[in-house]
Each structure stands twice: as structure tokens, then as C-alpha cells.
Amino acid sequence: MTATLADVFARVRTEGRSALIGYLPAGFPSPGAGVELINAMVGAGVDIVEVGLPYSDPLMDGPDIQAAVEQALLAGATPDVVLDTVEQITAAGATAVVMSYWNPIERYGVDRFSARLAAVGGHGVITPDLTPEEAGPWISATTAHGIDRVFLVAPSSTDERIATVCSVTSGFVYAASTMGVTGARTTVSSAAPELVRRTRALTDLPIAVGLGVSTGAQAREVAAYADGVIVGSAFVRRILQAPDRAVAVSAVADLARELAAGVRGN
Amino acid sequence: MAIESIAPAGQDASGHFGPYGGRFVPESLTAALDELDAAYHAAIVDPEFIAELAGLERDYTGRPNPLTRAARFGELCGGARIYLKREDLNHTGSHKINNVLGQALLTKRMGKQRVIAETGAGQHGVATATAAALMGLECTVYMGEEDTRRQALNVARMKLLGAEVVPVTAGSRTLKDAINEAMRDWVSTVDRTHYMLGTVTGPSPFPKMVRHFHEVIGREAREQILAVEGRLPDACVACVGGGSNAIGLFSGFMDDPQVQLRGYEAGGDGVATGRHASRFSAGSPGVLHGARTYVMQDEWGQTLPSHSISAGLDYPGVGPEHSWLHDTGRAVYEPVDDVEAMEAFAALCRTEGIIPAIESAHALAGAMRLGRELGPEAVIIVNLSGRGDKDVETAAAWFGIDLAQRP
Ligand SMILES: Cc1ncc(COP(=O)(O)O)c(C=O)c1O
């Protein structure tokens, strides 16, 4: 078994830095290439991998991730491809979580999904459109199978709401830095530090910031106040722009190295 | 008249209808949905809001609209006594204006300056653009590129009314994708923008709120049928896209078990072909666009593309209250395919001198089926949800009328 989310956050804390969390959809641009790209990301310094489960209606995602999941679905991505991907990258040493819209998990069966994910070595699931109010069966299933549940807080969340979200969350809290969809941005929202400050007052869980981080400098800026830095669209964009698989692999590794330096304050 | 809500069957305070409904949304929207819920509940008991909305319904929409006896059309329905609830005579040409005026007033109460909407047939987009013009709000309408083509007239109407129309090129380029795009806009602009969802779908409070603003249909129809027939109808019939016109009519008769409630979904090329929008025949419970409800989906929970000649019924999900009414058996849902709908479309044109929206033609086809089943003593109310002006091109192509040729 690879390091748990708690292990990773404990380790980076002793190293005096933030964790680097990288997202890529499973099966993008194809099942085999997807695994190779994620392994390249991990080899170049990503601490936790978010494996996206491609979904037909990604209404929280901007154009880059929309394009990527569309390609992945055309190339045959299913929940089983996601689980295979987790199994393979776990075998290579990665700490993996799944990121999924709710319907595919509900359709697969919450207990079945939790059990299979645990069996292939996955550590958690991020569910951006599952609210704590609707999460009853999910909480039971993930608890039974030792899977961490990552929920989101947003700049518009009240303190009361943040407390509710944190009460059902484990592993880490995902702080959405901005009001908007995924996508690389030139600046990280000024709302993020305040959201992290408010969240920290209400929980002892590690807090990772996502949405809009795309460069080493931004990673350094966010690492100054958050326990984790989440990067997705910027990786996806490098792959979309690459003329072939070899270029994509080295572009992903280059970005991971730049970001890994950033979360170390360099 | 007081606007009073009949508690929807099985609805709880958190916005569920039995196991359906609820909220499946990014956390960024929670605060806005809470704000909307609070504004809605405060407004509907505020005499000022009630009076303002009733005034607009009367003086702007033209309510109450008539309940028209369709005797010649009734002959094609097994001789049943058919009554048409004339939502087609509302300003802007469909029932959609009922919901939009209510939500536009709420937008102003919440202090927001901009509204966005999705639209399929364009009727909700036109209604939204109309209300925005009337109340001085900015307006952006998202519409699948495929729909901008088949409802070009409504695109022009929206633009004339000052709205920005954004063609959506993602996915199947129809209503479902327009909703995705509207949601993306909303999460990014929610502090100054209200999302005027056009039907009884989506996260709570939309299904109960949109229902509330359409209950006027059922209230009027009930009063009107009692006045003319001296009794309740045997059945109420409506087409079901998201289900707003249907729930509006049904709401007036929900607690009268002797009144059958019948919803007609788009059968497209036929349910067996897979090219349809019959959620209750070929869908299963799932989550789409913020609510748990019947969804057309594959074995992995990916949404399947829907298909119908009618843009307004071409949607793979349905309002959660309909899912509950379906499961409890209070309402019965059946598909009507393109061919049957267009036969009913032609029938109403030729027997009553009324050109219906193709959406509404699905309800008319349902009435033809049901009337033959129930016989000449039956009293049936059909919700004529909209007029067919927007569909003239589609219908002309269907019936082989050459628009370019001189008579
Ligand atoms: C005339 C008309 N009827 C019905 C519908 C379907 O919507 P709903 O099921 O919400 O009434 C539409 C939607 O565009 C419409 O324009």
C-alpha cells in the first residue's frame, strides 16, 4: 500500500513545504497514455494524484478539461479504466485519489465503488457536486472501506457551511480558490487566502487550494498559506498542445518539476 | 387572488420529492441557492409581491387565458369532451412567461442586475429576454447550436428584445449542453447574476419554485372547468419536457384522485430506436443538473443524447417531482413519437384553426389516445402549452410545404 493522504501531509509538513496535487482524467488521451503521463507527473514531483473520472456533463469544468474528458470518453474511458489507472499508478508508488462527478459513482454503486477503489490501492475520492446533505450512503460506504472523502469549500461558503463540510470530510479539504470553473488563470484569486484562513479556524484537516494554479510562481504563492496546491487544467493544456505522446510526457514532467519547486518555496 | 401553494406530494423542506430532487451542485452555488430559497419563501407570503405578480399576469401576460372547448378536435378523440387550456395565448406565446415573471421579480428583490437562461425551443429564452427588457435587466441566453438552427425565429426574437444569445457547441449541442454552459456562467458570476432556470428541474429550490409560478395554470383550469362542466375533468393531459407546464396543470388536481394525470414525453423516432426523450420508458434514476431524477443514461452513468422533433422536449432528464409522481402512480407517462405528434399537430390546425407548438402537439396526441380509451362521456383538459409560430419552418418541411415557392 502506498502512503495515505494523512501520511503525505504529515511528511510534507516535516519537510516544511506544501503538497503538490496533480489532476489528470483517466484514459486521456487513451488508457495507456494516461497511465504513462501520470507516472511522469509523479516521477517529477507530484505528491498526490487526482485521477479524474470522465463524465458527459462536466459542468464545473472549463474548456481544457471539457476537451480532455471528451477525448477520454471517445477513447473508451469507463469507471473500470479509472480503477485500472489507479491500480497501475499505485503499483508505481503513487498516492492516488479519484475525482468524480456524482452520477457515475452512484450508478456504479457507492459500496461497490468504494470497495473496488480500496482493493486497487486508491486512498480517497473528491466529489465536487456531492453536498453533505446528500452524502449519507456515501459516508457509510467510504467509512466501511477506509476511503477518504474530500468535499469542497468555496469563497461564498459561510462559516457555518464550512464547518458542516469539514465535519464529513477526511484526508484534506479542497478549497476552491475562486468562484468559477476549472481553468488556468494568470493570477490566483485573492479570495483564496481568506478562505483558507476561515477554514483553518474551523478544522484541523489539511487544506489544499485548487482552481487556477498553473505556474511555479503561483504554486509558491499558494504554498505560503495552504497545505496543498492542486493543479489540473495546466497539465491538461500541455497535453492538448503536444504534437505527440513523447512531447506530452516531457511537457507534463517539466511542469511538475516547476510546480514541485514552487511548493518548496523555490 | 391569493397565490397559495398546494404542498407537492412527498416534498420535504430540503427540496426532495420522495427520493428525488435535492441538491447536487458545486459548493460555490450553495450560498446562492440558499439566498434564492430565502428570497422565494419571503416573497410568496409578501402581499406586495403577490399583488405585483398578479398584476403582471393580468395586464402583461393576459391572464386568465381561456379554456376552449375543442369540439371538432374532440371528434378525433373518440368523441371525448376536450378542453384546451390556452397557454398559447399568453404574451410571448407559451406558458414559460408565468415562471419568468416570478423569477424576474425575485431577481430584483435580490438586488441582482443580470439574468441568464438556457433554452431549447427558444420559448423560455424569449420569455426571459422579454422579462429582462421589461424590468431593465441584462440578459444572456445559452442555446445549443443545433437548436439555434431549428428555432431561428426565436433567436431573432431574443436579439430584438436586447438579449445576447450564445450558441453552445459542446456535446450534443442541445438543451442539456445549454444548461451546462449556463451553470458555468452562473458559478462565475453568481454575485450579480440570477439563473432563470426554465423548468421544474435543477437543484432545490428550482423545482418547487418554478412549480409555484405555474400553479396559476391549474388554478384557473380548475375554476373554469367547474364553471362550464359543473364537475372535475376525468383527465388532465400535458407534454413533459422538464415538466413545468405539466406540473402547473396537474397541481390544480393533485388531490383529486378521480382526475387522471397524464404526461406525454417525446418518443422521437420511436423508443425502440434509442432516438427519443422518453425518460420514463428508457431511463433510470440518476443525477443530472443538480437533482436526482429519471435520466437517460448508459450503464456507466454517462448521460445519453436525447432526440425529438420538438426542441422543447429534447432533454434526457425530467423534473424530480414527475419522477415521484411516476413512482407513486399518481401520474402516468407515455411516449408520443414524432409521427404521432405531427398528426395531432395537423389535426388541431385543421379542426380548430389553432396552430400548436410541436411540444404541445405531443399532449394533443395523448388526448387522441386517451379520449378513444375513455369514450365520449369523458372530460379531458389538454394543456396547450404554446403556439406554433416558432415551428412553422419545421412543420412546413415535415409536411412538404415549399416555403420558397409562390402559390
Ligand atoms: C410550448 C412549450 N411547451 C412545452 C415545453 C416543455 O417544457 P416543460 O416540460 O417544462 O413545460 C416547452 C419548452 O421549451 C415549450 O416551449
Side-chain angles (χ1 to χ4, degrees):
Chain A
M1 182 157 138
T2 54
T4 63
L5 296 178
D7 294 340
V8 173
F9 282 102
R11 189 186 76 228
V12 301
R13 193 164 299 146
T14 63
E15 293 172 13
R17 65 175 179 98
S18 293
L20 175 59
I21 304 172
Y23 162 94
L24 278 178
F28 165 65
S30 67
V35 170
E36 187 183 352
L37 288 161
I38 292 173
N39 283 337
M41 223 163 68
V42 174
V46 163
D47 300 297
I48 296 168
V49 180
E50 270 182 33
V51 180
L53 195 159
Y55 176 53
S56 53
D57 294 274
L59 54 80
M60 250 199 82
D61 286 303
D64 292 326
I65 293 179
Q66 284 178 50
V69 300
E70 203 171 318
Q71 278 190 34
L73 286 170
L74 284 171
T78 61
D80 289 331
V81 168
V82 174
L83 294 167
D84 278 352
T85 301
V86 170
E87 185 161 34
Q88 292 186 53
I89 65 174
T90 299
T95 292
V97 299
V98 168
M99 162 84 128
S100 180
Y101 289 92
W102 185 243
N103 196 49
I105 293 181
E106 184 164 297
R107 181 76 174 170
Y108 200 87
V110 292
D111 197 67
R112 181 168 165 236
F113 191 83
S114 303
R116 298 253 169 114
L117 182 61
V120 297
H123 292 283
V125 185
I126 305 170
T127 48
D129 61 346
L130 181 65
T131 52
E133 291 75 11
E134 304 289 348
W138 179 237
I139 291 169
S140 313
T142 46
T143 303
H145 296 288
I147 293 291
D148 280 324
R149 289 179 300 274
V150 178
F151 288 83
L152 280 71
V153 294
S156 58
S157 305
T158 60
D159 285 355
E160 189 189 355
R161 183 73 185 165
I162 291 172
T164 303
V165 170
C166 291
S167 72
V168 295
T169 297
S170 60
F172 66 92
V173 183
Y174 190 129
S177 70
T178 181
M179 298 294 287
V181 296
T182 58
R185 291 175 174 79
T186 46
T187 57
V188 178
S189 157
S190 57
E194 173 62 11
L195 175 60
V196 171
R197 189 194 61 73
R198 289 200 293 134
T199 306
R200 211 178 281 295
L202 295 162
T203 183
D204 293 328
L205 288 164
I207 302 164
V209 168
L211 296 196
V213 183
S214 63
T215 66
Q218 289 171 335
R220 184 170 60 237
E221 179 192 331
V222 173
Y225 58 85
D227 306 304
V229 179
I230 305 171
V231 179
S233 295
F235 282 115
V236 164
R237 186 176 287 184
R238 302 259 167 141
I239 298 168
L240 288 169
Q241 287 169 347
D244 60 43
R245 185 156 159 179
V247 174
V249 168
S250 67
V252 159
D254 287 348
L255 178 60
R257 265 187 294 276
E258 177 188 332
L259 296 164
V263 299
R264 287 166 175 80
N266 301 317
Chain B
M1 190 167 61
I3 296 177
E4 55 193 25
S5 178
I6 303 151
Q11 186 187 314
D12 66 16
S14 60
H16 293 86
F17 304 88
Y20 301 108
R23 264 190 205 170
F24 295 83
V25 292
E27 173 58 22
S28 311
L29 292 179
T30 295
L33 292 168
D34 284 344
E35 178 193 18
L36 179 61
D37 197 47
Y40 160 67
H41 283 289
I44 60 172
V45 294
D46 177 348
E48 204 177 311
F49 179 87
I50 293 169
E52 199 173 356
L53 182 57
L56 283 170
E57 286 175 346
R58 184 187 62 234
D59 304 331
Y60 193 71
T61 307
R63 304 203 75 98
N65 57 43
L67 186 73
T68 305
R69 173 79 194 273
R72 277 171 42 75
F73 180 71
E75 289 168 21
L76 303 175
C77 305
R81 303 173 70 80
I82 302 289
Y83 290 87
L84 306 175
K85 183 56 182 157
R86 300 295 304 278
E87 294 299 308
D88 64 316
L89 295 180
N90 293 342
H91 178 46
T92 71
S94 83
H95 68 294
K96 297 285 180 188
I97 191 79
N98 303 331
N99 165 45
V100 153
L101 289 175
Q103 287 201 49
L105 289 178
L106 283 181
T107 304
K108 294 191 71 158
R109 283 171 76 103
M110 291 187 292
K112 294 186 172 182
Q113 305 88 32
R114 176 173 178 261
V115 290
I116 57 173
E118 83 296 340
T119 196
Q123 288 304 105
H124 174 58
V126 167
T128 303
T130 298
L134 178 67
M135 301 195 194
L137 301 164
E138 284 169 57
C139 178
T140 300
V141 178
Y142 292 93
M143 189 168 188
E145 197 187 41
E146 163 81 12
D147 292 336
T148 61
R149 246 196 311 276
R150 55 179 163 173
Q151 310 277 225
L153 181 68
N154 274 343
V155 174
R157 289 170 80 195
M158 288 184 268
K159 288 184 175 170
L160 289 171
L161 291 161
E164 177 195 15
V165 180
V166 180
V168 176
T169 55
S172 59
R173 305 174 183 223
T174 58
L175 184 54
K176 138 182 126 61
D177 308 287
I179 295 176
N180 291 341
E181 210 51 40
M183 290 277 208
R184 291 185 187 113
D185 180 321
W186 201 31
V187 285
S188 314
T189 61
V190 66
D191 53 327
R192 61 182 296 269
T193 300
H194 173 60
Y195 179 16
M196 290 235 218
L197 192 56
T199 185
V200 286
T201 56
S204 179
F206 283 107
K208 66 179 174 189
M209 177 179 72
V210 175
R211 173 204 221 261
H212 178 88
F213 293 134
H214 282 301
E215 283 169 7
V216 65
I217 303 172
R219 239 181 0 253
E220 286 178 9
R222 186 186 178 91
E223 221 171 85
Q224 289 166 323
I225 199 74
L226 287 174
V228 37
E229 284 284 344
R231 70 170 178 100
L232 290 172
D234 297 289
C236 289
V237 169
C239 66
V240 182
S244 66
N245 87 88
I247 215 74
L249 178 63
F250 293 178
S251 68
F253 306 89
M254 203 69 88
D255 300 330
D256 304 300
Q258 71 272 35
V259 180
Q260 292 188 38
L261 306 177
R262 297 280 186 133
Y264 294 91
E265 307 181 274
D269 291 345
V271 174
T273 66
R275 288 171 51 77
H276 60 82
S278 300
R279 292 73 42 111
F280 292 118
S281 305
S284 53
V287 169
L288 180 63
H289 292 145
R292 180 176 287 114
T293 191
Y294 277 74
V295 178
M296 291 169 53
Q297 55 183 329
D298 70 10
E299 61 175 317
W300 304 117
Q302 306 291 349
T303 312
L304 290 171
S306 56
H307 174 78
S308 169
I309 190 172
S310 144
L313 305 184
D314 195 348
Y315 178 61
V318 65
E321 188 174 359
H322 287 289
S323 293
W324 179 237
L325 293 173
H326 169 267
D327 282 10
T328 58
R330 178 64 189 97
V332 173
Y333 301 84
E334 290 175 3
V336 164
D337 67 23
D338 289 356
V339 172
E340 202 183 347
M342 293 311 285
E343 280 169 13
F345 176 97
L348 194 76
C349 292
R350 301 291 176 90
T351 56
E352 300 292 338
I354 298 172
I355 301 177
I358 297 178
E359 289 78 15
S360 318
H362 289 69
L364 294 164
M368 290 170 79
R369 263 190 221 165
L370 188 62
R372 289 167 194 160
E373 187 186 315
L374 298 182
E377 298 308 316
V379 172
I380 299 174
I381 299 178
V382 184
N383 203 0
L384 196 64
S385 57
R387 59 175 171 248
D389 305 34
K390 69 184 177 59
D391 294 318
V392 165
E393 252 184 83
T394 305
W398 180 273
F399 294 112
I401 299 167
D402 187 347
L403 294 177
Q405 207 173 54
R406 285 171 187 283

